Amino acid sequence: MRLKLEISPDLAALMQAEIAAGEKAVTSAMREAGASLKVAWRGQITGAGLGKRLGNSIRLATYPKGGESLNAAALVWSNAPVIVGAHDTGPLIRSRNGFWLAIPTPAAGKSTRGGRITPGEWERRTGLRLRFIYRRRGPSLLVAEGRLNSKGRAVASRAKTGRGLTTVPIFLLVPQVKLRKRLDLARDAERAIDGVPGRIVAGWERL
């Protein structure tokens, strides 16, 4: 006599199908969480008035690059970590050499390389010399003898008689600056992480 045992349905096939469903649900959840965090961080940055360019420094990568996995992951980061990190933590900034921090006034204009102009670059660009003025109360100053053009920038005076010549504050000098905290990236990251289990369950149930 022969006995034949058959298990229906096929348990191995069911387990394999369930694993495949899990891989799909986890991968989809991580991609959605990463995408939502990228959008949230970009929104925070632009909403804080830091500009779309800095907002676009936020990037997203998901793993695996192709296919699905129970170990799927998402990585969100910034291509400008120093700038974004500074606005996220609100650090105390001091001069590297222990002297003054030179903060340009509107009359200084901007650097040709982008960002804030330095006293050395300003002197080379304008041909004017900066003069130090110490103030006991409030920031000390770097000033120049010149005139303001139509854009409010300090330039050399063209008049030989000195007409229109004035003392223009070009830089404010301070020993340190406390950068205001304008971002809270950890808040959005925690929300994204907390939402992952729910995304996985919801995605699994749809399969």
Side-chain angles (χ1 to χ4, degrees), residues 149-165:
N149 63 15
S150 59
K151 295 182 179 180
R153 305 287 188 263
V155 295
S157 176
R158 298 174 183 175
K160 295 181 180 179
T161 60
R163 182 181 179 183
L165 197 66

Side-chain angles (χ1 to χ4, degrees), residues 117-134:
I117 191 170
T118 64
E121 182 185 353
W122 190 87
E123 286 187 329
R124 290 191 298 272
R125 190 180 70 184
T126 62
L128 297 174
R129 297 292 296 175
L130 291 167
R131 179 165 54 88
F132 175 75
I133 295 180
Y134 174 76

Side-chain angles (χ1 to χ4, degrees), residues 50-174:
L50 299 175
K52 187 176 180 180
R53 183 177 180 181
L54 187 60
N56 287 339
S57 74
I58 302 299
R59 295 287 190 266
L60 166 66
T62 55
Y63 305 93
K65 294 293 186 180
E68 296 159 344
S69 171
L70 290 174
N71 296 317
L75 176 64
V76 182
W77 77 97
S78 171
N79 281 339
V82 175
I83 299 175
V84 172
H87 288 292
D88 187 42
T89 59
L92 185 66
I93 302 174
R94 294 186 176 93
S95 172
R96 292 180 180 178
N97 54 22
F99 293 105
W100 301 95
L101 287 173
I103 303 175
T105 67
K110 295 183 179 180
S111 171
T112 55
R113 296 169 294 181
R116 290 183 174 180
I117 191 170
T118 64
E121 182 185 353
W122 190 87
E123 286 187 329
R124 290 191 298 272
R125 190 180 70 184
T126 62
L128 297 174
R129 297 292 296 175
L130 291 167
R131 179 165 54 88
F132 175 75
I133 295 180
Y134 174 76
R135 295 199 300 176
R136 181 175 297 179
R137 295 184 180 179
S140 296
L141 304 172
L142 287 178
V143 303
E145 306 303 321
R147 64 180 181 86
L148 293 177
N149 63 15
S150 59
K151 295 182 179 180
R153 305 287 188 263
V155 295
S157 176
R158 298 174 183 175
K160 295 181 180 179
T161 60
R163 182 181 179 183
L165 197 66
T166 185
T167 301
V168 183
I170 308 300
F171 292 91
L172 305 179
L173 299 177
V174 294

Side-chain angles (χ1 to χ4, degrees), residues 164-207:
L165 197 66
T166 185
T167 301
V168 183
I170 308 300
F171 292 91
L172 305 179
L173 299 177
V174 294
Q176 61 188 28
V177 173
K178 181 67 170 68
L179 192 64
R180 180 168 63 91
K181 178 177 171 62
R182 304 173 74 176
L183 304 173
D184 189 354
L185 302 183
R187 178 195 64 201
D188 288 338
E190 290 171 0
R191 287 177 180 174
I193 293 171
D194 291 344
V196 168
R199 291 179 185 274
I200 293 175
V201 172
W204 211 322
E205 290 177 345
R206 290 195 297 265
L207 299 174

